[in-house]
């Protein structure tokens, strides 16, 4: 595996930000922008018509980028150096987790450093975003999370032969892929280099999964027990069947948590 870290430029970053500032977007996704950029007046933005609000956000973030460009460029170098130091053990751990040799897989991954505090990934394009405020260690921790998705769906697609378009938010397949990251991350080779692991350090999955109860117990515990007792293909089948059986409860909890 290989990850190339880049500064994709302000136009890309604005586009990424706007994806999570659409009308009716849940606060879970839209609010972090205002937290990290207090120069954006949330009340004022909310008072504007949609088109004017987008213009206001874009103007403000272009000014922020001009001030931060050198910092972002420096972090491209820092993140790259730290990835190279960790690459071998990440590759070995994920090869074992997924039962395939990951050495030659995804040698074209691209990580876009971004002003966007939300960090989307794009499976078909082999790229993902990371927030520029991450430390080098934090960028690798977040990167492991995203790389798990790339390999998970690579194996998943070979197993089920479905469509990559089915792997995006808010599909159940996307939800499952987000939950299982914690189980994969428990490998010492991964957890030891992820500053967001364990949960007490922030966690490596969305926090609303921590208190999601299904069948009277935390769903992450149920999935983890499945993961430890099955090979990856059987785990994919059984975990997805379990989520399908309890989809209504899962979605209700997420809806309430996202606000």
């Amino acid at each position: 595996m290989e990850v190339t870290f880049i500064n994709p430029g302000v136009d890309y970053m604005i586009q990424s930000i706007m994806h999570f500032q659409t009308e009716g977007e849940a606060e879970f996704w839209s609010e972090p922008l205002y937290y990290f950029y207090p120069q954006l007046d949330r009340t004022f933005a909310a008072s504007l018509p949609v088109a004017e609000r987008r213009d206001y956000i874009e103007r403000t973030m272009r000014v922020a980028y001009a001030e931060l460009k050198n910092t972002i460029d420096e972090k491209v170098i820092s993140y790259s150096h730290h990835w190279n130091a960790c690459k071998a053990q990440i590759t070995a751990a994920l090869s074992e987790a997924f039962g395939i040799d990951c050495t030659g897989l995804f040698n074209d991954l691209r990580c876009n450093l971004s002003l966007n505090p939300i960090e989307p990934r794009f499976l078909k394009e082999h790229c993902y975003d990371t927030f520029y405020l991450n430390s080098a260690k934090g960028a690798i921790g977040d990167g492991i999370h995203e790389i798990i998705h790339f390999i998970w769906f690579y194996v998943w697609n070979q197993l089920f032969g479905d469509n990559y378009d089915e792997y995006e938010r808010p599909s159940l397949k996307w939800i499952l892929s987000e939950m299982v990251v914690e189980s994969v991350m428990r490998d010492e080779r991964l957890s030891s280099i992820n500053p967001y692991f364990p949960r007490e350090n922030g966690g490596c999955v969305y926090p609303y999964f921590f208190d999601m109860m299904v069948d009277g117990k935390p769903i992450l515990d149920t999935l983890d027990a499945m993961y430890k007792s099955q090979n990856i293909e059987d785990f994919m089948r059984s975990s997805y069947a379990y989520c399908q059986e309890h989809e209504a409860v899962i979605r209700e909890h997420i809806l309430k948590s996202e606000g």
Side-chain angles (χ1 to χ4, degrees):
M1 295 184 300
E2 191 59 73
V3 179
T4 301
F5 295 85
I6 66 168
N7 176 350
V10 66
D11 290 340
Y12 175 91
M13 296 181 197
I14 295 296
Q15 182 182 31
S16 177
I17 287 168
M18 292 306 181
H19 182 74
F20 298 96
Q21 297 299 320
T22 58
E23 192 72 5
E25 182 62 88
E27 290 184 1
F28 180 86
W29 303 101
S30 63
E31 286 300 312
L33 185 71
Y34 296 94
Y35 174 83
F36 285 104
Y37 300 99
Q39 62 266 49
L40 280 170
D41 187 322
R42 178 70 181 86
T43 302
F44 174 70
S47 73
L48 297 173
V50 175
E52 292 182 27
R53 185 187 314 149
R54 293 174 66 88
D55 288 343
Y56 167 63
I57 293 173
E58 179 172 349
R59 288 195 307 272
T60 305
M61 297 312 298
R62 285 187 181 277
V63 171
Y65 176 81
E67 297 171 350
L68 293 167
K69 180 182 182 302
N70 289 342
T71 298
I72 294 170
D73 289 340
E74 290 169 2
K75 289 204 170 186
V76 166
I77 298 171
S78 173
Y79 293 0
S80 297
H81 286 166
H82 199 60
W83 162 258
N84 287 330
C86 299
K87 176 171 59 177
Q89 71 188 77
I90 294 171
T91 302
L94 295 180
S95 294
E96 184 175 320
F98 289 97
I100 57 174
D101 183 3
C102 294
T103 305
L105 278 181
F106 298 111
N107 283 327
D108 60 346
L109 288 176
R110 186 177 74 253
C111 176
N112 301 304
L113 277 68
S114 179
L115 298 175
N116 188 2
I118 306 299
E119 302 173 321
R121 51 109 180 107
F122 306 94
L123 294 170
K124 289 188 286 188
E125 292 80 5
H126 290 188
C127 70
Y128 66 94
D129 292 3
T130 196
F131 191 29
Y132 87 97
L133 274 179
N134 267 314
S135 65
K137 291 182 179 179
I140 297 308
D142 282 348
I144 297 169
H145 174 116
E146 302 305 338
I147 293 168
I148 287 171
H149 287 314
F150 284 103
I151 303 175
W152 170 272
F153 282 119
Y154 173 83
V155 175
W156 179 284
N157 187 260
Q158 290 186 325
L159 183 63
F160 291 104
D162 48 6
N163 193 303
Y164 265 70
D165 293 336
E166 300 175 41
Y167 305 159
E168 303 300 338
R169 180 171 71 104
S171 77
L172 189 63
K173 294 174 184 179
W174 173 83
I175 294 170
L176 173 62
S177 76
E178 293 293 345
M179 288 194 285
V180 301
V181 166
E182 186 177 72
S183 291
V184 179
M185 195 76 74
R186 290 185 188 279
D187 187 307
E188 174 68 18
R189 290 166 291 184
L190 303 177
S191 61
S192 63
I193 56 175
N194 183 355
Y196 304 124
F197 190 93
R199 297 179 190 179
E200 290 76 16
N201 292 343
C204 60
V205 299
Y206 293 123
Y208 52 62
F209 292 134
F210 298 152
D211 62 350
M212 182 183 288
M213 304 294 290
V214 177
D215 274 347
K217 55 186 175 181
I219 191 170
L220 292 186
D221 290 352
T222 299
L223 294 177
D224 193 54
M226 291 180 182
Y227 177 78
K228 290 175 179 176
S229 64
Q230 301 171 359
N231 65 39
I232 193 65
E233 290 86 1
D234 288 343
F235 172 64
M236 287 178 170
R237 294 188 184 97
S238 62
S239 61
Y240 187 55
Y242 185 81
C243 288
Q244 286 179 306
E245 181 182 354
H246 300 285
E247 182 172 3
V249 174
I250 291 169
R251 290 195 178 278
E252 181 181 9
H253 180 87
I254 293 175
L255 184 62
K256 289 179 179 178
S257 300
E258 288 187 347

